Short mmCIF file of all heavy atoms in Angstrom, two decimals:
data_model
loop_
_atom_site.label_atom_id
_atom_site.label_comp_id
_atom_site.label_asym_id
_atom_site.label_seq_id
_atom_site.Cartn_x
_atom_site.Cartn_y
_atom_site.Cartn_z
N MET B 54 -22.67 -13.18 3.19
CA MET B 54 -22.12 -12.50 4.35
C MET B 54 -20.93 -11.62 3.94
O MET B 54 -20.76 -10.54 4.50
CB MET B 54 -21.67 -13.52 5.40
CG MET B 54 -22.82 -14.15 6.13
SD MET B 54 -23.85 -12.90 6.86
CE MET B 54 -24.44 -13.73 8.25
N GLN B 55 -20.15 -12.09 2.98
CA GLN B 55 -19.01 -11.29 2.53
C GLN B 55 -19.49 -9.98 1.89
O GLN B 55 -18.93 -8.91 2.15
CB GLN B 55 -18.17 -12.08 1.51
CG GLN B 55 -17.62 -13.39 2.03
CD GLN B 55 -16.51 -13.18 3.01
OE1 GLN B 55 -15.78 -12.20 2.93
NE2 GLN B 55 -16.37 -14.08 3.95
N LEU B 56 -20.52 -10.08 1.07
CA LEU B 56 -21.06 -8.89 0.40
C LEU B 56 -21.65 -7.92 1.42
O LEU B 56 -21.41 -6.71 1.34
CB LEU B 56 -22.11 -9.30 -0.62
CG LEU B 56 -22.80 -8.14 -1.35
CD1 LEU B 56 -21.78 -7.37 -2.19
CD2 LEU B 56 -23.93 -8.64 -2.20
N SER B 57 -22.41 -8.43 2.36
CA SER B 57 -23.03 -7.54 3.35
C SER B 57 -21.97 -6.88 4.23
O SER B 57 -22.10 -5.70 4.58
CB SER B 57 -24.04 -8.30 4.20
OG SER B 57 -23.40 -9.33 4.92
N GLY B 58 -20.91 -7.60 4.57
CA GLY B 58 -19.83 -7.00 5.35
C GLY B 58 -19.12 -5.90 4.56
O GLY B 58 -18.82 -4.83 5.10
N GLY B 59 -18.88 -6.16 3.29
CA GLY B 59 -18.24 -5.16 2.45
C GLY B 59 -19.11 -3.93 2.24
O GLY B 59 -18.61 -2.79 2.24
N LEU B 60 -20.40 -4.15 2.05
CA LEU B 60 -21.31 -3.01 1.89
C LEU B 60 -21.40 -2.18 3.16
O LEU B 60 -21.46 -0.94 3.09
CB LEU B 60 -22.69 -3.51 1.48
CG LEU B 60 -22.82 -3.99 0.05
CD1 LEU B 60 -24.20 -4.59 -0.19
CD2 LEU B 60 -22.56 -2.88 -0.93
N ALA B 61 -21.42 -2.85 4.30
CA ALA B 61 -21.48 -2.12 5.58
C ALA B 61 -20.24 -1.24 5.75
O ALA B 61 -20.36 -0.05 6.10
CB ALA B 61 -21.60 -3.09 6.74
N VAL B 62 -19.08 -1.80 5.49
CA VAL B 62 -17.85 -1.03 5.62
C VAL B 62 -17.80 0.09 4.58
O VAL B 62 -17.45 1.24 4.90
CB VAL B 62 -16.61 -1.95 5.48
CG1 VAL B 62 -15.34 -1.13 5.44
CG2 VAL B 62 -16.56 -2.94 6.63
N GLY B 63 -18.19 -0.21 3.37
CA GLY B 63 -18.13 0.79 2.31
C GLY B 63 -19.06 1.96 2.54
O GLY B 63 -18.66 3.13 2.42
N PHE B 64 -20.32 1.67 2.85
CA PHE B 64 -21.28 2.75 3.05
C PHE B 64 -20.98 3.57 4.30
O PHE B 64 -21.15 4.79 4.30
CB PHE B 64 -22.71 2.22 3.09
CG PHE B 64 -23.24 1.84 1.73
CD1 PHE B 64 -23.93 0.66 1.55
CD2 PHE B 64 -23.05 2.67 0.64
CE1 PHE B 64 -24.43 0.30 0.31
CE2 PHE B 64 -23.53 2.32 -0.61
CZ PHE B 64 -24.23 1.14 -0.77
N CYS B 65 -20.53 2.90 5.35
CA CYS B 65 -20.18 3.66 6.56
C CYS B 65 -18.93 4.51 6.32
O CYS B 65 -18.84 5.63 6.83
CB CYS B 65 -19.97 2.72 7.74
SG CYS B 65 -21.51 2.07 8.39
N GLY B 66 -17.99 4.00 5.57
CA GLY B 66 -16.81 4.79 5.23
C GLY B 66 -17.18 5.98 4.35
O GLY B 66 -16.66 7.09 4.52
N LEU B 67 -18.10 5.78 3.42
CA LEU B 67 -18.57 6.87 2.57
C LEU B 67 -19.29 7.93 3.39
O LEU B 67 -19.05 9.13 3.22
CB LEU B 67 -19.50 6.31 1.50
CG LEU B 67 -19.99 7.26 0.42
CD1 LEU B 67 -18.82 7.70 -0.44
CD2 LEU B 67 -21.05 6.58 -0.42
N ALA B 68 -20.17 7.50 4.30
CA ALA B 68 -20.88 8.45 5.15
C ALA B 68 -19.93 9.22 6.06
O ALA B 68 -20.07 10.43 6.24
CB ALA B 68 -21.93 7.71 5.98
N ALA B 69 -18.94 8.52 6.61
CA ALA B 69 -17.96 9.19 7.47
C ALA B 69 -17.14 10.18 6.67
O ALA B 69 -16.86 11.29 7.14
CB ALA B 69 -17.05 8.15 8.12
N GLY B 70 -16.78 9.84 5.45
CA GLY B 70 -16.02 10.76 4.61
C GLY B 70 -16.80 12.01 4.27
O GLY B 70 -16.27 13.13 4.33
N PHE B 71 -18.08 11.85 3.93
CA PHE B 71 -18.91 13.02 3.65
C PHE B 71 -19.06 13.89 4.91
O PHE B 71 -18.96 15.12 4.83
CB PHE B 71 -20.30 12.61 3.17
CG PHE B 71 -20.36 12.31 1.70
CD1 PHE B 71 -20.92 11.14 1.24
CD2 PHE B 71 -19.87 13.22 0.77
CE1 PHE B 71 -20.99 10.86 -0.11
CE2 PHE B 71 -19.92 12.96 -0.58
CZ PHE B 71 -20.49 11.77 -1.03
N ALA B 72 -19.29 13.25 6.05
CA ALA B 72 -19.47 14.00 7.29
C ALA B 72 -18.20 14.76 7.66
O ALA B 72 -18.25 15.94 8.05
CB ALA B 72 -19.89 13.07 8.42
N ILE B 73 -17.06 14.10 7.54
CA ILE B 73 -15.79 14.76 7.87
C ILE B 73 -15.52 15.91 6.90
O ILE B 73 -15.05 16.98 7.31
CB ILE B 73 -14.64 13.74 7.86
CG1 ILE B 73 -14.78 12.80 9.06
CG2 ILE B 73 -13.29 14.43 7.89
CD1 ILE B 73 -13.85 11.62 9.02
N GLY B 74 -15.85 15.72 5.64
CA GLY B 74 -15.65 16.79 4.67
C GLY B 74 -16.51 18.00 4.94
O GLY B 74 -16.05 19.15 4.90
N ILE B 75 -17.78 17.78 5.24
CA ILE B 75 -18.68 18.89 5.51
C ILE B 75 -18.30 19.61 6.79
O ILE B 75 -18.24 20.84 6.84
CB ILE B 75 -20.14 18.39 5.55
CG1 ILE B 75 -20.57 17.95 4.16
CG2 ILE B 75 -21.08 19.46 6.10
CD1 ILE B 75 -21.87 17.19 4.13
N VAL B 76 -18.05 18.83 7.85
CA VAL B 76 -17.68 19.44 9.14
C VAL B 76 -16.33 20.13 9.04
O VAL B 76 -16.14 21.21 9.60
CB VAL B 76 -17.67 18.37 10.26
CG1 VAL B 76 -17.09 18.92 11.54
CG2 VAL B 76 -19.07 17.86 10.50
N GLY B 77 -15.40 19.53 8.32
CA GLY B 77 -14.09 20.15 8.18
C GLY B 77 -14.16 21.48 7.44
O GLY B 77 -13.54 22.46 7.85
N ASP B 78 -14.94 21.52 6.37
CA ASP B 78 -15.08 22.75 5.61
C ASP B 78 -15.73 23.85 6.47
O ASP B 78 -15.21 24.96 6.57
CB ASP B 78 -15.91 22.50 4.36
CG ASP B 78 -16.14 23.75 3.55
OD1 ASP B 78 -15.15 24.49 3.32
OD2 ASP B 78 -17.29 23.98 3.13
N ALA B 79 -16.84 23.52 7.08
CA ALA B 79 -17.53 24.51 7.91
C ALA B 79 -16.70 24.87 9.14
O ALA B 79 -16.69 26.03 9.57
CB ALA B 79 -18.89 23.97 8.34
N GLY B 80 -15.97 23.89 9.68
CA GLY B 80 -15.16 24.15 10.86
C GLY B 80 -13.99 25.08 10.59
O GLY B 80 -13.70 25.97 11.39
N VAL B 81 -13.33 24.89 9.45
CA VAL B 81 -12.21 25.77 9.11
C VAL B 81 -12.70 27.20 8.90
O VAL B 81 -12.07 28.15 9.35
CB VAL B 81 -11.48 25.23 7.86
CG1 VAL B 81 -10.52 26.26 7.30
CG2 VAL B 81 -10.75 23.95 8.20
N ARG B 82 -13.83 27.34 8.24
CA ARG B 82 -14.39 28.68 8.04
C ARG B 82 -14.80 29.31 9.38
O ARG B 82 -14.61 30.50 9.59
CB ARG B 82 -15.58 28.63 7.11
CG ARG B 82 -15.23 28.24 5.70
CD ARG B 82 -16.49 28.00 4.88
NE ARG B 82 -16.19 27.32 3.66
CZ ARG B 82 -16.21 27.92 2.48
NH1 ARG B 82 -16.50 29.19 2.39
NH2 ARG B 82 -15.94 27.23 1.40
N GLY B 83 -15.37 28.49 10.27
CA GLY B 83 -15.78 29.01 11.56
C GLY B 83 -14.62 29.38 12.46
O GLY B 83 -14.66 30.40 13.16
N VAL B 84 -13.58 28.56 12.45
CA VAL B 84 -12.40 28.83 13.29
C VAL B 84 -11.68 30.08 12.79
O VAL B 84 -11.10 30.82 13.59
CB VAL B 84 -11.47 27.61 13.33
CG1 VAL B 84 -10.13 27.94 13.95
CG2 VAL B 84 -12.13 26.48 14.10
N ALA B 85 -11.73 30.33 11.49
CA ALA B 85 -11.10 31.55 10.96
C ALA B 85 -11.78 32.80 11.51
O ALA B 85 -11.12 33.82 11.73
CB ALA B 85 -11.15 31.55 9.45
N GLN B 86 -13.08 32.71 11.76
CA GLN B 86 -13.81 33.86 12.29
C GLN B 86 -13.81 33.89 13.81
O GLN B 86 -13.78 34.97 14.40
CB GLN B 86 -15.25 33.84 11.78
CG GLN B 86 -15.35 34.05 10.29
CD GLN B 86 -16.77 33.94 9.80
OE1 GLN B 86 -17.68 33.64 10.56
NE2 GLN B 86 -16.96 34.16 8.51
N GLN B 87 -13.88 32.72 14.43
CA GLN B 87 -13.97 32.63 15.89
C GLN B 87 -13.08 31.48 16.37
O GLN B 87 -13.49 30.32 16.31
CB GLN B 87 -15.43 32.40 16.31
CG GLN B 87 -15.66 32.30 17.79
CD GLN B 87 -15.48 33.62 18.49
OE1 GLN B 87 -14.35 34.05 18.69
NE2 GLN B 87 -16.56 34.27 18.84
N PRO B 88 -11.87 31.73 16.85
CA PRO B 88 -10.94 30.66 17.23
C PRO B 88 -11.44 29.76 18.38
O PRO B 88 -10.93 28.66 18.55
CB PRO B 88 -9.68 31.42 17.66
CG PRO B 88 -9.77 32.74 16.99
CD PRO B 88 -11.24 33.05 16.90
N ARG B 89 -12.42 30.20 19.12
CA ARG B 89 -12.93 29.37 20.23
C ARG B 89 -13.70 28.15 19.75
O ARG B 89 -13.97 27.24 20.53
CB ARG B 89 -13.84 30.21 21.12
CG ARG B 89 -13.10 31.28 21.89
CD ARG B 89 -14.01 32.08 22.77
NE ARG B 89 -14.88 31.21 23.53
CZ ARG B 89 -15.96 31.62 24.17
NH1 ARG B 89 -16.30 32.88 24.13
NH2 ARG B 89 -16.71 30.77 24.84
N LEU B 90 -14.03 28.08 18.48
CA LEU B 90 -14.79 26.95 17.93
C LEU B 90 -13.92 25.72 17.65
O LEU B 90 -14.44 24.68 17.29
CB LEU B 90 -15.48 27.36 16.62
CG LEU B 90 -16.56 28.42 16.71
CD1 LEU B 90 -17.04 28.79 15.33
CD2 LEU B 90 -17.71 27.91 17.55
N PHE B 91 -12.61 25.84 17.84
CA PHE B 91 -11.70 24.76 17.45
C PHE B 91 -11.99 23.47 18.20
O PHE B 91 -12.06 22.39 17.59
CB PHE B 91 -10.25 25.20 17.69
CG PHE B 91 -9.25 24.17 17.26
CD1 PHE B 91 -9.00 23.98 15.92
CD2 PHE B 91 -8.58 23.40 18.19
CE1 PHE B 91 -8.08 23.03 15.51
CE2 PHE B 91 -7.67 22.46 17.79
CZ PHE B 91 -7.41 22.27 16.45
N VAL B 92 -12.17 23.54 19.51
CA VAL B 92 -12.40 22.32 20.31
C VAL B 92 -13.71 21.65 19.91
O VAL B 92 -13.78 20.42 19.75
CB VAL B 92 -12.37 22.65 21.81
CG1 VAL B 92 -12.74 21.44 22.64
CG2 VAL B 92 -11.02 23.17 22.22
N GLY B 93 -14.75 22.43 19.71
CA GLY B 93 -16.03 21.87 19.27
C GLY B 93 -15.93 21.21 17.91
O GLY B 93 -16.52 20.16 17.67
N MET B 94 -15.17 21.83 17.01
CA MET B 94 -14.99 21.26 15.68
C MET B 94 -14.28 19.91 15.77
O MET B 94 -14.67 18.95 15.11
CB MET B 94 -14.20 22.20 14.78
CG MET B 94 -13.98 21.66 13.39
SD MET B 94 -12.81 22.57 12.41
CE MET B 94 -11.28 22.19 13.22
N ILE B 95 -13.25 19.84 16.59
CA ILE B 95 -12.51 18.58 16.74
C ILE B 95 -13.41 17.49 17.31
O ILE B 95 -13.37 16.34 16.87
CB ILE B 95 -11.26 18.79 17.63
CG1 ILE B 95 -10.27 19.73 16.95
CG2 ILE B 95 -10.60 17.47 17.97
CD1 ILE B 95 -9.71 19.21 15.66
N LEU B 96 -14.25 17.83 18.28
CA LEU B 96 -15.17 16.84 18.85
C LEU B 96 -16.15 16.32 17.81
O LEU B 96 -16.43 15.12 17.73
CB LEU B 96 -15.91 17.44 20.04
CG LEU B 96 -15.09 17.65 21.30
CD1 LEU B 96 -15.91 18.38 22.35
CD2 LEU B 96 -14.60 16.32 21.84
N ILE B 97 -16.70 17.21 17.01
CA ILE B 97 -17.64 16.79 15.98
C ILE B 97 -16.93 15.94 14.93
O ILE B 97 -17.49 14.95 14.43
CB ILE B 97 -18.33 18.01 15.34
CG1 ILE B 97 -19.19 18.70 16.39
CG2 ILE B 97 -19.18 17.61 14.16
CD1 ILE B 97 -19.78 20.01 15.96
N LEU B 98 -15.68 16.26 14.59
CA LEU B 98 -14.92 15.44 13.65
C LEU B 98 -14.67 14.04 14.21
O LEU B 98 -14.71 13.05 13.48
CB LEU B 98 -13.60 16.11 13.31
CG LEU B 98 -13.67 17.26 12.31
CD1 LEU B 98 -12.35 17.99 12.23
CD2 LEU B 98 -14.08 16.75 10.96
N ILE B 99 -14.43 13.95 15.51
CA ILE B 99 -14.23 12.63 16.14
C ILE B 99 -15.51 11.81 16.05
O ILE B 99 -15.49 10.62 15.72
CB ILE B 99 -13.76 12.80 17.59
CG1 ILE B 99 -12.33 13.33 17.61
CG2 ILE B 99 -13.85 11.48 18.34
CD1 ILE B 99 -11.85 13.75 18.98
N PHE B 100 -16.66 12.45 16.32
CA PHE B 100 -17.93 11.73 16.22
C PHE B 100 -18.21 11.29 14.79
O PHE B 100 -18.76 10.20 14.57
CB PHE B 100 -19.08 12.59 16.74
CG PHE B 100 -19.08 12.75 18.24
CD1 PHE B 100 -19.23 14.00 18.80
CD2 PHE B 100 -18.94 11.66 19.07
CE1 PHE B 100 -19.23 14.16 20.18
CE2 PHE B 100 -18.94 11.81 20.45
CZ PHE B 100 -19.09 13.05 21.00
N ALA B 101 -17.84 12.09 13.82
CA ALA B 101 -18.03 11.72 12.42
C ALA B 101 -17.12 10.55 12.05
O ALA B 101 -17.51 9.67 11.28
CB ALA B 101 -17.77 12.92 11.51
N GLU B 102 -15.91 10.53 12.59
CA GLU B 102 -14.98 9.44 12.29
C GLU B 102 -15.43 8.12 12.89
O GLU B 102 -15.15 7.05 12.35
CB GLU B 102 -13.59 9.82 12.81
CG GLU B 102 -12.51 8.87 12.41
CD GLU B 102 -11.15 9.32 12.88
OE1 GLU B 102 -10.99 10.49 13.25
OE2 GLU B 102 -10.24 8.47 12.87
N VAL B 103 -16.14 8.20 13.99
CA VAL B 103 -16.62 6.98 14.65
C VAL B 103 -17.61 6.23 13.76
O VAL B 103 -17.72 5.00 13.86
CB VAL B 103 -17.23 7.34 16.03
CG1 VAL B 103 -18.00 6.19 16.63
CG2 VAL B 103 -16.14 7.77 16.98
N LEU B 104 -18.30 6.93 12.87
CA LEU B 104 -19.22 6.25 11.94
C LEU B 104 -18.48 5.20 11.12
O LEU B 104 -18.97 4.09 10.93
CB LEU B 104 -19.87 7.26 11.00
CG LEU B 104 -20.88 8.22 11.59
CD1 LEU B 104 -21.28 9.25 10.54
CD2 LEU B 104 -22.08 7.48 12.09
N GLY B 105 -17.31 5.55 10.63
CA GLY B 105 -16.51 4.59 9.88
C GLY B 105 -16.04 3.42 10.72
O GLY B 105 -16.01 2.28 10.27
N LEU B 106 -15.69 3.70 11.96
CA LEU B 106 -15.25 2.64 12.86
C LEU B 106 -16.39 1.67 13.18
O LEU B 106 -16.19 0.46 13.23
CB LEU B 106 -14.69 3.24 14.15
CG LEU B 106 -14.09 2.27 15.16
CD1 LEU B 106 -12.92 1.54 14.55
CD2 LEU B 106 -13.67 3.02 16.40
N TYR B 107 -17.59 2.21 13.38
CA TYR B 107 -18.74 1.34 13.62
C TYR B 107 -19.02 0.45 12.41
O TYR B 107 -19.36 -0.72 12.56
CB TYR B 107 -19.99 2.16 13.93
CG TYR B 107 -19.99 2.79 15.30
CD1 TYR B 107 -20.74 3.93 15.55
CD2 TYR B 107 -19.25 2.27 16.35
CE1 TYR B 107 -20.76 4.52 16.80
CE2 TYR B 107 -19.25 2.85 17.59
CZ TYR B 107 -20.00 3.98 17.81
OH TYR B 107 -20.02 4.56 19.03
N GLY B 108 -18.88 1.00 11.22
CA GLY B 108 -19.05 0.19 10.02
C GLY B 108 -18.03 -0.93 9.92
O GLY B 108 -18.35 -2.05 9.53
N LEU B 109 -16.79 -0.63 10.30
CA LEU B 109 -15.75 -1.66 10.30
C LEU B 109 -16.07 -2.77 11.30
O LEU B 109 -15.93 -3.96 10.99
CB LEU B 109 -14.40 -1.04 10.61
CG LEU B 109 -13.21 -1.99 10.65
CD1 LEU B 109 -12.97 -2.58 9.27
CD2 LEU B 109 -11.99 -1.28 11.16
N ILE B 110 -16.54 -2.40 12.47
CA ILE B 110 -16.89 -3.39 13.49
C ILE B 110 -18.04 -4.27 13.01
O ILE B 110 -18.01 -5.50 13.15
CB ILE B 110 -17.23 -2.69 14.82
CG1 ILE B 110 -15.97 -2.06 15.41
CG2 ILE B 110 -17.86 -3.67 15.81
CD1 ILE B 110 -16.23 -1.13 16.57
N VAL B 111 -19.06 -3.65 12.42
CA VAL B 111 -20.20 -4.43 11.90
C VAL B 111 -19.74 -5.34 10.77
O VAL B 111 -20.15 -6.50 10.69
CB VAL B 111 -21.33 -3.48 11.45
CG1 VAL B 111 -22.38 -4.22 10.66
CG2 VAL B 111 -21.95 -2.80 12.65
N GLY B 112 -18.88 -4.83 9.89
CA GLY B 112 -18.37 -5.65 8.79
C GLY B 112 -17.58 -6.84 9.28
O GLY B 112 -17.74 -7.96 8.78
N ILE B 113 -16.73 -6.65 10.26
CA ILE B 113 -15.96 -7.76 10.82
C ILE B 113 -16.88 -8.77 11.48
O ILE B 113 -16.71 -9.98 11.33
CB ILE B 113 -14.90 -7.25 11.82
CG1 ILE B 113 -13.81 -6.51 11.07
CG2 ILE B 113 -14.31 -8.40 12.64
CD1 ILE B 113 -12.83 -5.79 11.96
N PHE B 114 -17.90 -8.27 12.18
CA PHE B 114 -18.86 -9.17 12.82
C PHE B 114 -19.61 -9.99 11.78
O PHE B 114 -19.82 -11.20 11.97
CB PHE B 114 -19.85 -8.36 13.66
CG PHE B 114 -20.90 -9.18 14.32
CD1 PHE B 114 -20.59 -10.00 15.40
CD2 PHE B 114 -22.21 -9.16 13.86
CE1 PHE B 114 -21.56 -10.77 16.00
CE2 PHE B 114 -23.18 -9.92 14.45
CZ PHE B 114 -22.86 -10.72 15.53
N LEU B 115 -20.02 -9.38 10.68
CA LEU B 115 -20.77 -10.11 9.66
C LEU B 115 -19.90 -11.14 8.96
O LEU B 115 -20.37 -12.23 8.63
CB LEU B 115 -21.33 -9.13 8.63
CG LEU B 115 -22.50 -8.28 9.10
CD1 LEU B 115 -22.84 -7.23 8.04
CD2 LEU B 115 -23.72 -9.15 9.38
N VAL B 116 -18.63 -10.82 8.71
CA VAL B 116 -17.78 -11.75 7.98
C VAL B 116 -17.39 -12.95 8.85
O VAL B 116 -17.30 -14.07 8.36
CB VAL B 116 -16.52 -11.01 7.48
CG1 VAL B 116 -15.48 -11.95 6.94
CG2 VAL B 116 -16.92 -10.01 6.40
N THR B 117 -17.19 -12.73 10.14
CA THR B 117 -16.77 -13.83 11.00
C THR B 117 -17.94 -14.64 11.55
O THR B 117 -17.72 -15.69 12.15
CB THR B 117 -15.94 -13.30 12.20
OG1 THR B 117 -16.73 -12.38 12.94
CG2 THR B 117 -14.67 -12.65 11.71
N LYS B 118 -19.18 -14.17 11.35
CA LYS B 118 -20.36 -14.89 11.83
C LYS B 118 -20.56 -16.17 11.00
O LYS B 118 -20.47 -16.16 9.79
CB LYS B 118 -21.58 -13.99 11.72
CG LYS B 118 -22.80 -14.54 12.36
CD LYS B 118 -23.93 -13.51 12.29
CE LYS B 118 -25.18 -14.09 12.90
NZ LYS B 118 -26.28 -13.13 12.81
N LYS B 119 -20.83 -17.25 11.66
CA LYS B 119 -21.03 -18.55 10.98
C LYS B 119 -22.47 -18.80 10.69
O LYS B 119 -23.36 -18.59 11.37
CB LYS B 119 -20.49 -19.69 11.82
CG LYS B 119 -19.01 -19.64 11.99
CD LYS B 119 -18.34 -20.05 10.74
CE LYS B 119 -16.84 -19.95 10.94
NZ LYS B 119 -16.08 -20.36 9.87
#
């Protein structure tokens, strides 16, 4: 259970990091050309960050499960 919890947190954190990096790069380039894209970029970044939070919740659930 400890290993599965750690893997869940690790892989979800890795996926969230990749998603935030890709969206951040494309978002900064897009906002430089069209400033109206800023709010949409922030929303997509929030959704990408939630991936890591879901992994943390699953990891905590797996570690505390008897």
